[in-house]
Amino acid sequence: MVFRWIKFAVAFVLTIALTWVLHTSHGTVPPFGKFLSPYVGFWREGETAADFPKRQELALPALEQPVQVRFDDQRVAHVFAQNDHDLYYTQGYLTARDRLWQMDFMTHVAAGRLAEIVGPERLEMDRFFRRMGMVYGAQRSLDSMMVDPRTKLALTAYSDGVNAYINSLNPKDYPFEYKLLNYAPEPWAPLKSALLLKLMAFDLSGRSDDLRLSNALGKYGPEVVKDLFPDYPRLEDPIVPVGSPRSFTPVPVPPTPAGFEAAMSGKVPQHEPAPDLGSNNFAVGAAKSATGYPILANDPHLQLNLPSIWYQMQLSAPGVNVYGVSIPGAPTLIIGFNQDVAWGVTNTGADVMDWYQIKFKDATKREYQYAGRWLPVRRVVERIQIKGQPDRLDTVLYTRHGPIVYDHDEKPFSSQTPVHHALRWTAHDGANEVLTFYLLNRAHAYPDYLAALTHYGSPAQNFIFASNQKDIAIRPNGRFPLKWNDQGKFILDGTDSAYDWHGWIPAQQNPLSYNPKRGFVSSANQTPVGPEYPYYLGWQFSLWDRGHRINERLARMQRATPDSLRLLQLDNFGINAQLMLPRMLALVAPGQLKPAEQRVYQELQRWNFSYDADALGPSIYELWYNQLIKRIWEDDFGKQTGLEMRYPNRDRTNTLILQQPNSPWIDDKLTPEKETLPDLALQSFRWATDSLTRKFGPLNDDWHWANQKSTDILHLAQLPGFGHMNLNVGGGVGIVNAITERNGPSWRMVVALGPQPKAYGLFPGGQSGNPGSRYYDNMIDPWVQGKLPELVFLQKPNERNERIRAAWKLTTK
């Protein structure tokens, strides 16, 4: 009897202990009892038909008039409101309904607040984003946005809509990521929308080679740097064609300081935005179109995640009826079309981020030298909350140039961040980017497009445009600093006012191609303009491959259809392989190769330069080519030099391989032998063959490019099991279909304008952020297959369409 009571007591204590363990956070470990609970846990995430009724009426606070919403077979919302307030309120409410956790998580990233929800492993990332001035820049932009009554209304109404959804939730209804990480959504505010735009600015313009080029200049001198890092590439096909007419008189450019000499800095970091983020957009004019009206295409290449970076919607109210994609968490549509116009964007990549070397008066770092004076440092104390640990205080120093991202000797989070330097970046300047998209959503003709772009700040984008008036145009656009040539190519002297940015290039003098004679406009992140443009925009842009391939095909295209442009988006031809492979094969004598290596060599000889998913050639070529580049430059610009430097770009390296076989750069300085170019080509070929053989066995179908590249779409928080791995897709870096391991076309769209526009589009994901919904990833398979379904564009809320699946009515409480 006593023994039975002892067993009962032990079991009772263990039950209480287990209950406490499962329902309590322990450091960064969430309370798994709540997460696993059938009543409030992740089991509730499975979506049923009842969770999304075909008809319902919702009473929401703060709506001014009833709103009608139709949902199509892709779960895309078509919103019909009677005023702007209700339009953006509903956009916020519906976006939050599908993507609340994503919106919340990304604003935590941008604001440097990840550690408070995931723990101390994200502390350094939080410090980095705060020290980059992300909140500082977002607040300055928000101040500009709130001055204009149109964008103030859009931002506040959107926030109210998001909050209406948040307030309707019980903890059991939270998206599963909140349950897993054991935190709750917080109220939305316009600053969060501004933060999302700054995060996009970081992704697209948050890179700088100033440190690396300064180190190269200090080590090798100006003549070598001019030779290996030229301001304009040998091969280029600029966005605005060379020789395009110019309709403005340039303003004076600041003179180059007599003492221009970059400062040395040798601090080394690790993390940075992906260098292969790219995009395409192109439009053919009426003369090249089978319809007699322009056709426009856009496919921005960004990191591939679930939930998708984009959210599809149609927004209709008096004065606007527009379809496209938004950034979840921000009002208006970023890329899209209406009855009269279509537009899209790609990243410009101009040099809009510079680093200034700062000289402090003394060790207190209270004053710094500028223009012969000592100026006070502004000190901002950042309080960083850390899950499971005490808060941490971090002081950031601000100068007239911007924040000193790292003011102590420490290892920076990003490998391009010099220590003891101030950051000057256009993302810190106030601008009303939301107004640009607000006006583009309502544009009817070319003058509306030009007017909308004058409000845009950062990140600088190539805005492409087409209209029913049969105009086509493209403008690399944003706030571009007015600089002297090469200003910001190297680290700048923060003590001398001559090194400051001296104003801005006038917005109306930004590059422009309008109805060009060739009948099309396009961009693929390449150089915006030729050398005749009077202003300095930067020294390096994306390589010419994609842009040149697009222009080749568009030049030949006649009677183009939407499918013509869809197929161009899927183009897998490798311009660089076509240029370089014949030379590389000629450098290797087949007689030197073993039988297995000869079969690989012969496979390359048969390759047609297409990066298709089932091709073997690209797997071999990419490993060979990149290894050859490494063997040429690693001894001179690699880590063993003790400096953070970068290799010369591919254009300059190709020139060396094709035309300079006796260059002294070819010899590996780390070996006693004197290597020749054929030596390096043979060594790198054998290395590539051996790597693939060890990975997949002797030459066989497992060498397919899709296997070697291995494209993954991961959950945004990289939670295992909630992504899609090893997609069977081709493409690659420098390919029009620029799908890499983690990046690719995040939204493919083609719009055929005319009396009734027809548009096609999808992104690799789904409308819902809930992994338990079939609309979480339902578009991935057609995206992999290269399909482009027609988009439903309604002219009125009661329009009959066989693809409409649900009709909701939103009313005020």
Side-chain angles (χ1 to χ4, degrees), residues 10-322:
V10 169
F12 178 77
V13 171
L14 288 175
T15 300
I16 295 297
L18 183 60
T19 301
W20 179 81
V21 167
L22 290 176
H23 287 78
T24 307
S25 294
H26 304 278
T28 61
V29 179
F32 276 96
K34 295 179 183 178
F35 181 64
L36 298 173
S37 166
Y39 303 104
V40 298
F42 84 101
W43 304 105
R44 295 182 54 84
E45 304 303 317
E47 186 178 271
T48 67
D51 294 323
F52 201 90
K54 291 184 177 181
R55 292 190 176 276
Q56 74 167 331
E57 184 170 316
L58 291 175
L60 301 178
L63 272 181
E64 296 175 357
Q65 294 174 287
V67 175
Q68 298 185 67
V69 184
R70 301 291 184 266
F71 293 92
D72 64 29
D73 53 4
Q74 298 298 313
R75 191 66 68 78
V76 175
H78 304 260
V79 178
F80 290 85
Q82 299 180 56
N83 57 71
D84 273 7
H85 171 273
D86 292 350
L87 184 70
Y88 296 115
Y89 179 99
T90 304
Q91 185 186 17
Y93 179 87
L94 293 176
T95 307
R97 191 182 189 282
D98 279 329
R99 303 288 191 89
L100 177 60
W101 177 80
Q102 175 191 13
M103 297 159 52
D104 189 23
F105 183 78
M106 296 309 291
T107 57
H108 275 78
V109 173
R113 296 180 55 202
L114 267 189
E116 67 187 66
I117 59 175
V118 300
E121 63 270 20
R122 293 299 180 189
L123 173 61
E124 288 309 310
M125 182 177 179
D126 283 354
R127 289 185 67 229
F128 175 70
F129 275 106
R130 292 181 187 228
R131 288 176 162 272
M132 285 286 289
M134 298 287 278
V135 176
Y136 166 70
Q139 186 60 62
R140 295 188 71 180
S141 283
L142 181 62
D143 292 343
S144 298
M145 296 170 188
M146 299 301 273
V147 169
D148 188 283
R150 295 163 294 184
T151 49
K152 179 179 181 180
L153 182 147
L155 286 160
T156 54
Y158 187 95
S159 295
D160 289 345
V162 174
N163 288 328
Y165 179 70
I166 293 174
N167 294 336
S168 73
L169 298 177
N170 291 313
K172 62 184 176 62
D173 302 316
Y174 290 166
F176 93 98
E177 292 94 344
Y178 287 109
K179 299 170 184 176
L180 177 63
L181 298 171
N182 193 33
Y183 75 112
E186 62 186 16
W188 198 261
L191 180 62
K192 289 179 176 288
S193 297
L195 276 167
L196 291 171
L197 296 175
K198 293 307 168 184
L199 188 60
M200 184 67 74
F202 174 76
D203 284 340
L204 298 178
S205 69
R207 307 180 70 247
S208 164
D209 274 318
D210 304 8
L211 166 62
R212 295 167 176 175
L213 266 293
S214 293
N215 287 344
L217 180 66
K219 184 173 178 62
Y220 294 113
E223 293 307 313
V224 166
V225 170
K226 288 177 184 177
D227 174 40
L228 296 185
F229 304 94
D231 286 347
Y232 196 79
R234 183 177 66 92
L235 297 175
E236 189 51 278
D237 198 339
I239 295 169
V240 178
V242 174
S244 296
R246 191 172 75 203
S247 59
F248 61 85
T249 300
V251 300
V253 175
T256 303
F260 174 46
E261 182 179 351
M264 276 290 293
S265 178
K267 304 297 180 182
V268 184
Q270 297 310 301
H271 304 281
E272 60 203 62
D276 52 356
L277 292 178
S279 307
N280 307 315
N281 58 23
F282 36 90
V284 295
K288 278 187 169 286
S289 167
T291 66
Y293 287 88
I295 308 174
L296 179 146
N298 192 192
D299 55 308
H301 305 151
L302 297 165
Q303 191 172 88
L304 304 177
N305 291 309
L306 288 172
S308 167
I309 191 173
W310 301 110
Y311 184 70
Q312 290 187 62
M313 290 195 93
Q314 180 178 354
L315 299 176
S316 182
V320 62
N321 186 19
V322 62

Side-chain angles (χ1 to χ4, degrees), residues 323-480:
Y323 188 111
V325 289
S326 67
I327 297 173
T332 75
L333 301 181
I334 305 299
I335 299 169
F337 66 95
N338 60 34
Q339 184 69 37
D340 298 314
V341 307
W343 77 96
V345 294
T346 65
N347 192 35
T348 300
D351 186 2
V352 295
M353 170 186 279
D354 290 339
W355 294 95
Y356 285 84
Q357 191 171 48
I358 299 300
K359 181 178 180 181
F360 291 107
K361 186 175 185 179
D362 53 40
T364 66
K365 299 178 183 177
R366 297 282 179 176
E367 296 178 283
Y368 66 101
Q369 189 178 76
Y370 173 77
R373 297 177 294 151
W374 294 105
L375 301 183
V377 171
R378 184 167 67 92
R379 306 171 78 87
V380 176
V381 178
E382 298 279 355
R383 178 179 292 274
I384 304 176
Q385 297 179 35
I386 307 171
K387 187 174 185 178
Q389 293 187 5
D391 293 355
R392 173 163 175 175
L393 300 181
D394 191 35
T395 302
V396 184
L397 311 184
Y398 280 80
T399 70
R400 62 174 287 113
H401 300 295
I404 300 174
V405 179
Y406 288 99
D407 57 293
H408 291 88
D409 290 326
E410 58 180 300
K411 185 177 181 180
F413 180 79
S414 164
S415 69
Q416 298 175 353
T417 308
V419 176
H420 303 301
H421 290 70
L423 171 64
R424 183 70 177 97
W425 185 22
T426 55
H428 291 156
D429 293 281
N432 193 347
E433 290 87 2
V434 171
L435 184 56
T436 291
F437 297 111
Y438 178 94
L439 294 173
L440 283 174
N441 288 190
R442 291 161 172 75
H444 299 290
Y446 176 68
D448 301 329
Y449 156 78
L450 292 180
L453 298 194
T454 61
H455 302 283
Y456 191 81
S458 71
Q461 298 286 287
N462 303 309
F463 283 83
I464 199 166
F465 172 84
S467 76
N468 272 344
Q469 288 79 25
K470 302 185 180 180
D471 289 320
I472 58 172
I474 191 166
R475 165 156 270 177
N477 187 71
R479 298 192 75 189
F480 297 119

Side-chain angles (χ1 to χ4, degrees), residues 722-781:
F722 294 97
H724 284 247
M725 313 296 286
N726 302 315
L727 297 179
N728 188 39
V729 290
V733 175
I735 310 301
V736 176
N737 187 22
I739 304 176
T740 63
E741 291 84 349
R742 289 285 291 112
N743 299 313
S746 60
W747 163 246
R748 290 190 182 120
M749 180 187 77
V750 176
V751 181
L753 291 166
Q756 180 59 45
K758 283 190 173 294
Y760 309 82
L762 88 171
F763 49 69
Q767 285 288 94
S768 177
N770 177 11
S773 168
R774 67 178 295 265
Y775 295 98
Y776 175 69
D777 55 5
N778 60 301
M779 299 184 201
I780 289 181
D781 285 345

Side-chain angles (χ1 to χ4, degrees), residues 639-665:
K639 298 295 184 183
Q640 72 285 339
T641 63
L643 293 171
E644 176 71 14
M645 292 190 288
R646 51 156 293 171
Y647 295 170
N649 68 20
R650 198 174 73 184
D651 179 82
R652 182 62 184 87
T653 303
N654 285 351
T655 300
L656 184 148
I657 295 171
L658 293 170
Q659 301 177 9
Q660 299 173 327
N662 299 317
S663 169
W665 298 105

